[in-house]
Amino acid sequence: MNLKILNELDRILKRNPSLESDRLSLCQVVNGVFDIELDNISPVVSISELADIIDNEVLTKYFSKVWQPETKKYKYSGLSIIDEVNAMNPTAVIDIGCGYNEFRGKIQNLIGIDPYNHRADVKATVLEYQVTDIKYDVAICLGSINFGSSDKIIKELTAAVNLVKDGGVLYFRVNPGQQHTAPESQWINFYDWDPVFISNMAKQLNCELLAIRKDLNRIYFVWRKAK
């Protein structure tokens, strides 16, 4: 849940309660406030459901049309990951939230998934991605599990760990809650990651915390799933 968007919707309805029943006008107000292009808002959609719809539209617009990768600038979670992963001689690697799929052709046996970018091998979120016959040696999650409230982050982390085989390794780059500067990112709820949460989640998901470092304005960490 994007609480930033939900709280703004609540403020909109508090100022003009009639919009709750006038969905045509609500749709126009929502498009104007959040700079998106919804065609309509169904009368049966609750405000919390509407917040999720808006959140998806905001993320889609930003990550498909505005955001550009800066992989080269990171010391730990940048291009150095290529040699580190290839040194394991993996049979299957998944890049969760691959963006422009920069590691395709550079990391062996890699598949990239992303819900917003057309260069992904599979267009899906980590929660949507379903495989039954593969467990990955490595999962790469660089800036992709970063948006929404704690319940969403925990679900996505759990899904990522479940994609990896016992003994497999997961690489993360996460945001400690810093807002991006582009105006299109205004309504994105950047999760405020911190080392204590990272350590506690590793224990909860039966993973060993192998490393944690500050990587410029982000946090880099590595988990190994227990055997």
Side-chain angles (χ1 to χ4, degrees):
M1 174 62 67
N2 184 324
L3 298 179
K4 186 185 293 189
I5 290 175
L6 182 62
N7 289 337
E8 183 62 22
L9 284 173
D10 186 64
R11 282 191 286 270
I12 289 170
L13 291 177
K14 192 174 289 185
R15 292 196 298 268
N16 191 347
S18 66
L19 290 176
E20 169 61 22
S21 56
D22 182 358
R23 291 301 173 104
L24 180 60
S25 295
L26 177 60
C27 185
Q28 296 307 317
V29 170
V30 162
N31 286 341
V33 170
F34 299 102
D35 193 22
I36 57 176
E37 296 181 9
L38 294 181
D39 293 326
N40 60 75
I41 299 173
S42 170
V44 299
V45 169
S46 69
I47 294 305
S48 61
E49 290 170 335
L50 178 57
D52 287 337
I53 292 170
I54 296 169
D55 184 44
N56 183 67
E57 291 294 317
V58 167
L59 288 169
T60 298
K61 179 178 180 179
Y62 183 63
F63 285 106
S64 66
K65 298 180 179 179
V66 179
W67 174 85
Q68 293 295 317
E70 298 179 305
T71 308
K72 293 181 179 179
K73 75 178 186 179
Y74 294 103
K75 179 179 180 180
Y76 301 107
S77 60
L79 298 179
S80 62
I81 284 180
I82 295 172
D83 290 337
E84 195 168 340
V85 172
N86 282 335
M88 302 178 192
N89 196 28
T91 58
V93 179
I94 185 167
D95 188 351
I96 298 169
C98 65
Y100 288 90
N101 218 349
E102 292 177 277
F103 294 139
R104 180 166 55 189
K106 298 174 184 176
I107 293 178
Q108 60 193 53
N109 301 314
L110 177 138
I111 184 171
I113 70 169
D114 193 286
Y116 312 117
N117 200 300
H118 69 279
R119 295 191 188 177
D121 298 303
V122 178
K123 203 166 184 182
T125 69
V126 67
L127 296 178
E128 294 167 342
Y129 184 64
Q130 299 289 329
V131 289
T132 57
D133 57 343
I134 299 175
K135 286 289 186 180
Y136 294 92
D137 300 293
V138 177
I140 300 170
C141 314
L142 304 184
S144 55
I145 300 181
N146 262 337
F147 316 107
S149 50
S150 294
D151 59 330
K152 182 171 180 278
I153 297 295
I154 291 169
K155 288 177 184 176
E156 292 178 345
L157 285 173
T158 303
V161 170
N162 286 340
L163 289 171
V164 174
K165 64 177 60 173
D166 293 348
V169 178
L170 299 97
Y171 292 87
F172 294 88
R173 183 200 306 133
V174 296
N175 187 335
Q178 296 184 12
Q179 188 71 32
H180 288 197
T181 56
E184 293 86 351
S185 71
Q186 175 187 0
W187 296 106
I188 297 177
N189 186 181
F190 293 97
Y191 191 70
D192 56 341
W193 284 86
D194 66 75
V196 174
F197 177 72
I198 291 166
S199 177
N200 288 338
M201 282 306 305
K203 293 176 183 176
Q204 181 170 322
L205 296 176
N206 200 26
C207 293
E208 177 186 2
L209 178 57
L210 299 180
I212 183 167
R213 300 284 188 275
K214 184 175 181 181
D215 204 358
L216 294 180
N217 57 351
R218 299 292 185 261
I219 302 172
Y220 159 82
F221 63 95
V222 184
W223 288 351
R224 178 185 288 127
K225 187 175 179 180
K227 294 183 178 180

